[in-house]
Amino acid sequence: MKIKRAAAGASIAALLPFAGVALAQSAGTGDSNADLRREIDDQKQRLLILERKLEIQDEAAKAAATSAPKITASASRFQLGSADGANFIRFRGTLHADNRVYGGDSAPETGDTFILRRVRPTVEGTFGNIFDFKFMPDFAGGKTIVVDAYVAARFNPAAVVTVGKFKPPVGLERLQSGSDIRFIERGLPTNLVPNRDLGLQLSGDIAGGTVSYQVGYFNGVTDGNSSDSLPTPDVENDTGGDYAARLFFQPFLNSDNFNLRGLGFGIGSTWQDVPGSAASTYLAAYRSAGQLSVFSYRANTATGATPNNATFANGERLRLAPQVYYSRGSFGFLGEYTQVKQDVSRVVGGTTRSDTLDNSAWQAQFSWFVTGEEESFRGFTPGSTYKVGKPGWGALELVARYHELEIDDDAFVGGAASFANPLTAVSKESAYGVGVNWYPWNTVKLSLNYEVTSFEGGAATGDRPDEQALLSRFAINF
C-alpha cells in the first residue's frame, strides 16, 4: 500500500514541473494562464481522490485482518478459531493399541490378546469465551459409546456449571485422562469409584487456585462403571440419584517454595440410596491389576425367567476417597485410598439377609523421568524429540506402584446364603507393578508394564493362583 501511495505522489510530482513550464511559456496570454490553472486544479483533485481510495483500501485490509479466522495446525493441536480467540473448535484424538500376555496359571489361554483399548476422536471448543463443550465417542472393544458429552459455562473461575456426561469428582487417578496416567491401567482403587455419569455439577477454583471444589448430582452408577454399562444405558436406572462432592487443596501452588509447590491433597465422596432387586442388582464386579474379573457377588441361579437369589444393593452407598499428589522436578507420587460402604440384601429360601459391607482399596504410585523432564498431574513437556539420524531420543520415564483391594469379610459369611461365593470370588488382592514409558514425541507414547498380583480366596482349592501380567501399549494422543 505504501508503494501505491509513493507511485501516486510521484505521478503528481512529475506533472507539476511540466505545469510550471507551461505556465511560464504562456505567461503572455491571460486565457492560457487560466487553462493551466484549471489543469493544475484538476490534477490536485485527482490526487486527493487517489489518496482517499488508498485510505479506504487500508481500512478494508485492516478490517479483514481482524475478522479473519485463525487456523492452528501443529503436532499436538488442530484448531480453528475466531481472530479474538473467544470462539474456537479443536480436533483431538486418542488411539491406544494394547497387548496383554499372562504367565503361569493365572489366566485362560484366551487371555493373551491384542485389543484396542481406546479409539476416541474428540471435538471440543469454546463459544463466547464462556461456554465450553466436548464430545468424545469411543469405538474400542467392538462397540460404540459416548464417553464424554457436556457443556460447561465458565461464568467465573469460582463458578463453573457443567451439565452432560463426564467424570464425577471422586477418584484422583480416575480424574486423570487416559493419556496422562503413568501405568497402562489404573490402580485397584479405581474399581470402587464411578467412571462417567450424567449429571449437573458446580465447580471452581478459589484463593488463586489453591482450593478447588466440585459438587454435583448424577444419575448414579455402580463401582468402577459408566452410565453406558447400566441395564438401560445413559439414563437414571433407579430413583435414588447420586450426590458427589470433592475438595482439593494446593496450598503452595503460588509460593516460592519449589519443594512444596507440587503438593496437592483432598477428599472426594458420593452418596446414594440404591433400591436394587434380584433382577437389577446395581452391584459391580471387580478386576485384577491385569484386568481379569476376580470378584463378583452371587448371581441368580433361577432357570426360568424370574430372578430369584442374587445379591443386590438395598440401601445406602457411601464412597470416601482421600487422595494426595506430589511432584518435585522429575519425581512424582500419587496416593489414594477409597472405601465403599454398601447396604446389600439377598433372599434365599424366602429368608432375606441384609448387611452393610465395607470394601476398600489403596495405592502408592511413583514416577521418575530419567531424561529430566518435570513430572506433573496432567501432561508434561518433553525435553527432546526423536528423529532418525538426528540428536534426541525423547523422554524416558520409569514407574512403580503397590496397590491392594480388600472385600469385607462379612460378604463371605453364611455358607450357601453368603453374599459372595468364596470359591470363585477373591477376598483380597495385593499387586505390585513396574513399567517404562518412552515418549519419542509429545503425542506418541510406548509403554511396557509388568504386574504381579497375589490373591486370598477365589478358588476351590483355596487361593487363586498369582497373576503375572505383561501389558504393552502403543498410544497416539493429540
Side-chain angles (χ1 to χ4, degrees):
M1 201 58 67
K2 292 180 179 180
I3 294 175
K4 290 183 178 180
R5 286 178 180 276
S11 298
I12 298 302
L15 289 173
L16 292 177
F18 290 107
V21 172
L23 182 62
Q25 290 176 345
S26 58
T29 60
D31 292 343
S32 298
N33 289 342
D35 292 340
L36 287 173
R37 290 192 182 94
R38 282 196 295 273
E39 183 66 24
I40 291 172
D41 290 340
D42 289 344
Q43 294 296 337
K44 289 181 177 179
Q45 187 64 30
R46 291 190 184 97
L47 176 60
L48 292 174
I49 293 172
L50 181 58
E51 287 182 340
R52 180 55 188 156
K53 287 182 177 179
L54 293 175
E55 289 175 357
I56 293 173
Q57 290 179 4
D58 283 344
E59 293 170 359
K62 291 178 180 177
T66 56
S67 61
K70 288 187 176 179
I71 300 175
T72 303
S74 64
S76 60
R77 177 172 297 184
F78 300 91
Q79 180 173 308
L80 175 65
S82 59
D84 60 2
N87 309 281
F88 68 85
I89 295 177
R90 183 180 299 156
F91 302 95
R92 300 176 57 195
T94 300
L95 173 60
H96 291 176
D98 291 10
N99 179 242
R100 297 172 178 173
V101 178
Y102 300 92
D105 299 325
S106 62
E109 293 184 1
T110 54
D112 297 350
T113 183
F114 291 95
I115 64 167
L116 289 175
R117 186 67 171 83
R118 295 180 180 87
V119 183
R120 299 176 177 178
T122 302
V123 180
E124 62 183 9
T126 294
F127 293 114
N129 207 24
I130 296 177
F131 302 100
D132 300 332
F133 73 92
K134 183 177 183 180
F135 173 66
M136 182 170 70
D138 192 352
F139 302 104
K143 60 181 181 180
T144 301
I145 60 172
V146 174
V147 179
D148 285 325
Y150 63 80
V151 175
R154 292 181 286 106
F155 298 109
N156 186 289
V160 180
V161 178
T162 305
V163 60
K165 185 178 182 181
F166 52 98
K167 294 180 179 179
V170 189
L172 182 61
E173 193 180 25
R174 170 56 72 190
L175 292 175
Q176 272 187 315
S177 75
S179 304
D180 290 335
I181 55 176
R182 288 345 196 194
F183 276 83
I184 291 175
E185 297 293 345
R186 293 180 172 89
L188 296 176
T190 303
N191 272 304
L192 305 181
V193 299
N195 187 350
R196 260 89 171 183
D197 199 2
L198 282 94
L200 174 68
Q201 175 180 279
L202 174 66
S203 63
D205 296 327
I206 56 180
T210 57
V211 180
S212 62
Y213 75 93
Q214 300 94 29
V215 292
Y217 178 80
F218 299 84
N219 283 341
V221 295
T222 56
D223 295 345
N225 286 302
S226 296
S227 55
D228 48 76
S229 64
L230 293 173
T232 305
D234 287 337
V235 296
E236 185 165 325
N237 279 235
D238 54 64
T239 59
D242 200 350
Y243 299 90
R246 178 172 179 262
L247 198 58
F248 199 77
F249 302 90
Q250 296 175 277
F252 304 99
L253 180 65
N254 303 316
S255 76
D256 295 330
N257 189 336
F258 288 92
N259 290 320
L260 296 175
R261 287 184 68 169
L263 174 65
F265 55 88
I267 186 169
S269 178
T270 69
W271 180 87
Q272 183 179 15
D273 191 359
V274 189
S277 66
S280 300
T281 66
Y282 299 125
L283 294 174
Y286 300 144
R287 292 181 175 274
S288 67
Q291 297 303 293
L292 298 177
S293 181
V294 295
F295 173 85
S296 62
Y297 293 96
R298 287 189 185 271
N300 289 305
T301 57
T303 55
T306 303
N308 58 357
N309 58 3
T311 303
F312 57 92
N314 187 27
E316 291 187 345
R317 175 191 294 147
L318 174 64
R319 300 184 179 100
L320 291 173
Q323 51 206 245
V324 62
Y325 179 82
Y326 176 73
S327 65
R328 174 70 171 91
S330 58
F331 172 80
F333 170 78
L334 184 150
E336 59 181 334
Y337 172 84
T338 304
Q339 181 187 53
V340 180
K341 285 180 172 290
Q342 176 68 67
D343 293 339
V344 299
S345 293
R346 185 172 181 232
V347 181
V348 180
T351 301
T352 301
R353 292 188 66 239
S354 298
D355 204 342
T356 299
L357 304 180
D358 292 341
N359 301 330
S360 61
W362 66 275
Q363 71 163 326
Q365 181 184 124
F366 304 88
S367 55
W368 174 49
F369 272 115
V370 179
T371 44
E373 286 79 3
E374 289 195 2
E375 288 282 359
S376 67
F377 184 70
R378 287 190 172 89
F380 80 104
T381 302
S384 66
T385 56
Y386 172 73
K387 295 180 181 179
V388 178
K390 296 185 178 180
W393 285 91
L396 188 67
E397 182 183 43
L398 301 180
V399 294
R401 72 178 172 192
Y402 182 82
H403 44 154
E404 288 187 355
L405 170 67
E406 188 165 4
I407 308 299
D408 194 318
D409 290 341
D410 289 345
F412 304 97
V413 174
S418 63
F419 300 112
N421 186 353
L423 303 182
T424 57
V426 304
S427 60
K428 183 177 181 179
E429 56 176 313
S430 307
Y432 66 85
V434 294
V436 57
N437 299 315
W438 178 40
Y439 307 82
W441 284 69
N442 60 346
T443 55
V444 180
K445 180 180 179 181
L446 286 80
S447 301
L448 182 65
N449 293 175
Y450 180 64
E451 296 267 5
V452 178
T453 307
S454 300
F455 304 97
E456 294 183 11
T461 56
D463 296 337
R464 182 187 175 102
D466 289 356
E467 177 185 278
Q468 304 164 29
L470 184 64
L471 312 178
S472 57
R473 169 172 295 168
F474 188 98
I476 300 290
N477 309 296
F478 64 90

